[in-house]
mmCIF file with all atom_site columns, all heavy atoms in Angstrom:
data_model
loop_
_atom_site.group_PDB
_atom_site.id
_atom_site.type_symbol
_atom_site.label_atom_id
_atom_site.label_alt_id
_atom_site.label_comp_id
_atom_site.label_asym_id
_atom_site.label_entity_id
_atom_site.label_seq_id
_atom_site.pdbx_PDB_ins_code
_atom_site.Cartn_x
_atom_site.Cartn_y
_atom_site.Cartn_z
_atom_site.occupancy
_atom_site.B_iso_or_equiv
_atom_site.pdbx_formal_charge
_atom_site.auth_seq_id
_atom_site.auth_comp_id
_atom_site.auth_asym_id
_atom_site.auth_atom_id
_atom_site.pdbx_PDB_model_num
ATOM 1  N N   . HIS A 1 276 ? -8.011  5.041  6.900  1.00 0.00 ? 286 HIS A N   1
ATOM 2  C CA  . HIS A 1 276 ? -8.325  6.457  7.074  1.00 0.00 ? 286 HIS A CA  1
ATOM 3  C C   . HIS A 1 276 ? -7.189  7.419  6.952  1.00 0.00 ? 286 HIS A C   1
ATOM 4  O O   . HIS A 1 276 ? -7.417  8.585  6.631  1.00 0.00 ? 286 HIS A O   1
ATOM 5  C CB  . HIS A 1 276 ? -9.086  6.540  8.313  1.00 0.00 ? 286 HIS A CB  1
ATOM 6  C CG  . HIS A 1 276 ? -10.392 6.033  8.474  1.00 0.00 ? 286 HIS A CG  1
ATOM 7  N ND1 . HIS A 1 276 ? -11.530 6.491  7.911  1.00 0.00 ? 286 HIS A ND1 1
ATOM 8  C CD2 . HIS A 1 276 ? -10.760 4.857  8.976  1.00 0.00 ? 286 HIS A CD2 1
ATOM 9  C CE1 . HIS A 1 276 ? -12.514 5.758  8.075  1.00 0.00 ? 286 HIS A CE1 1
ATOM 10 N NE2 . HIS A 1 276 ? -12.163 4.742  8.787  1.00 0.00 ? 286 HIS A NE2 1
ATOM 11 N N   . ASN A 1 277 ? -5.939  6.970  7.217  1.00 0.00 ? 287 ASN A N   1
ATOM 12 C CA  . ASN A 1 277 ? -4.872  7.824  7.025  1.00 0.00 ? 287 ASN A CA  1
ATOM 13 C C   . ASN A 1 277 ? -4.028  7.522  5.803  1.00 0.00 ? 287 ASN A C   1
ATOM 14 O O   . ASN A 1 277 ? -3.506  8.570  5.211  1.00 0.00 ? 287 ASN A O   1
ATOM 15 C CB  . ASN A 1 277 ? -3.949  7.618  8.221  1.00 0.00 ? 287 ASN A CB  1
ATOM 16 C CG  . ASN A 1 277 ? -4.391  8.058  9.591  1.00 0.00 ? 287 ASN A CG  1
ATOM 17 O OD1 . ASN A 1 277 ? -5.459  8.614  9.610  1.00 0.00 ? 287 ASN A OD1 1
ATOM 18 N ND2 . ASN A 1 277 ? -3.722  7.722  10.657 1.00 0.00 ? 287 ASN A ND2 1
ATOM 19 N N   . LEU A 1 278 ? -4.020  6.369  5.234  1.00 0.00 ? 288 LEU A N   1
ATOM 20 C CA  . LEU A 1 278 ? -3.213  6.050  4.132  1.00 0.00 ? 288 LEU A CA  1
ATOM 21 C C   . LEU A 1 278 ? -4.092  5.690  2.806  1.00 0.00 ? 288 LEU A C   1
ATOM 22 O O   . LEU A 1 278 ? -3.421  5.447  1.810  1.00 0.00 ? 288 LEU A O   1
ATOM 23 C CB  . LEU A 1 278 ? -2.157  4.919  4.492  1.00 0.00 ? 288 LEU A CB  1
ATOM 24 C CG  . LEU A 1 278 ? -1.212  5.395  5.516  1.00 0.00 ? 288 LEU A CG  1
ATOM 25 C CD1 . LEU A 1 278 ? -0.428  4.092  6.008  1.00 0.00 ? 288 LEU A CD1 1
ATOM 26 C CD2 . LEU A 1 278 ? -0.288  6.423  5.036  1.00 0.00 ? 288 LEU A CD2 1
ATOM 27 N N   . GLY A 1 279 ? -5.308  5.676  2.917  1.00 0.00 ? 289 GLY A N   1
ATOM 28 C CA  . GLY A 1 279 ? -6.213  5.400  1.706  1.00 0.00 ? 289 GLY A CA  1
ATOM 29 C C   . GLY A 1 279 ? -6.320  4.146  1.254  1.00 0.00 ? 289 GLY A C   1
ATOM 30 O O   . GLY A 1 279 ? -6.756  3.898  -0.011 1.00 0.00 ? 289 GLY A O   1
ATOM 31 N N   . VAL A 1 280 ? -5.919  2.973  1.980  1.00 0.00 ? 290 VAL A N   1
ATOM 32 C CA  . VAL A 1 280 ? -6.105  1.624  1.482  1.00 0.00 ? 290 VAL A CA  1
ATOM 33 C C   . VAL A 1 280 ? -7.572  1.244  1.452  1.00 0.00 ? 290 VAL A C   1
ATOM 34 O O   . VAL A 1 280 ? -8.311  1.578  2.455  1.00 0.00 ? 290 VAL A O   1
ATOM 35 C CB  . VAL A 1 280 ? -5.238  0.633  2.255  1.00 0.00 ? 290 VAL A CB  1
ATOM 36 C CG1 . VAL A 1 280 ? -5.632  -0.824 1.952  1.00 0.00 ? 290 VAL A CG1 1
ATOM 37 C CG2 . VAL A 1 280 ? -3.745  0.920  2.222  1.00 0.00 ? 290 VAL A CG2 1
ATOM 38 N N   . ASP A 1 281 ? -8.074  0.584  0.442  1.00 0.00 ? 291 ASP A N   1
ATOM 39 C CA  . ASP A 1 281 ? -9.382  0.165  0.445  1.00 0.00 ? 291 ASP A CA  1
ATOM 40 C C   . ASP A 1 281 ? -9.733  -0.636 1.749  1.00 0.00 ? 291 ASP A C   1
ATOM 41 O O   . ASP A 1 281 ? -9.082  -1.513 2.147  1.00 0.00 ? 291 ASP A O   1
ATOM 42 C CB  . ASP A 1 281 ? -9.618  -0.769 -0.871 1.00 0.00 ? 291 ASP A CB  1
ATOM 43 C CG  . ASP A 1 281 ? -10.993 -1.405 -0.856 1.00 0.00 ? 291 ASP A CG  1
ATOM 44 O OD1 . ASP A 1 281 ? -11.851 -0.684 -1.376 1.00 0.00 ? 291 ASP A OD1 1
ATOM 45 O OD2 . ASP A 1 281 ? -11.255 -2.456 -0.421 1.00 0.00 ? 291 ASP A OD2 1
ATOM 46 N N   . LYS A 1 282 ? -10.893 -0.251 2.355  1.00 0.00 ? 292 LYS A N   1
ATOM 47 C CA  . LYS A 1 282 ? -11.227 -0.770 3.772  1.00 0.00 ? 292 LYS A CA  1
ATOM 48 C C   . LYS A 1 282 ? -11.590 -2.314 3.675  1.00 0.00 ? 292 LYS A C   1
ATOM 49 O O   . LYS A 1 282 ? -11.244 -3.044 4.674  1.00 0.00 ? 292 LYS A O   1
ATOM 50 C CB  . LYS A 1 282 ? -12.412 0.007  4.313  1.00 0.00 ? 292 LYS A CB  1
ATOM 51 C CG  . LYS A 1 282 ? -13.735 -0.148 3.501  1.00 0.00 ? 292 LYS A CG  1
ATOM 52 C CD  . LYS A 1 282 ? -14.807 0.737  4.189  1.00 0.00 ? 292 LYS A CD  1
ATOM 53 C CE  . LYS A 1 282 ? -16.089 0.687  3.580  1.00 0.00 ? 292 LYS A CE  1
ATOM 54 N NZ  . LYS A 1 282 ? -16.711 -0.647 3.637  1.00 0.00 ? 292 LYS A NZ  1
#
Side-chain angles (χ1 to χ4, degrees):
H286 292 279
N287 293 353
L288 297 172
V290 175
D291 177 83
K292 64 182 182 65

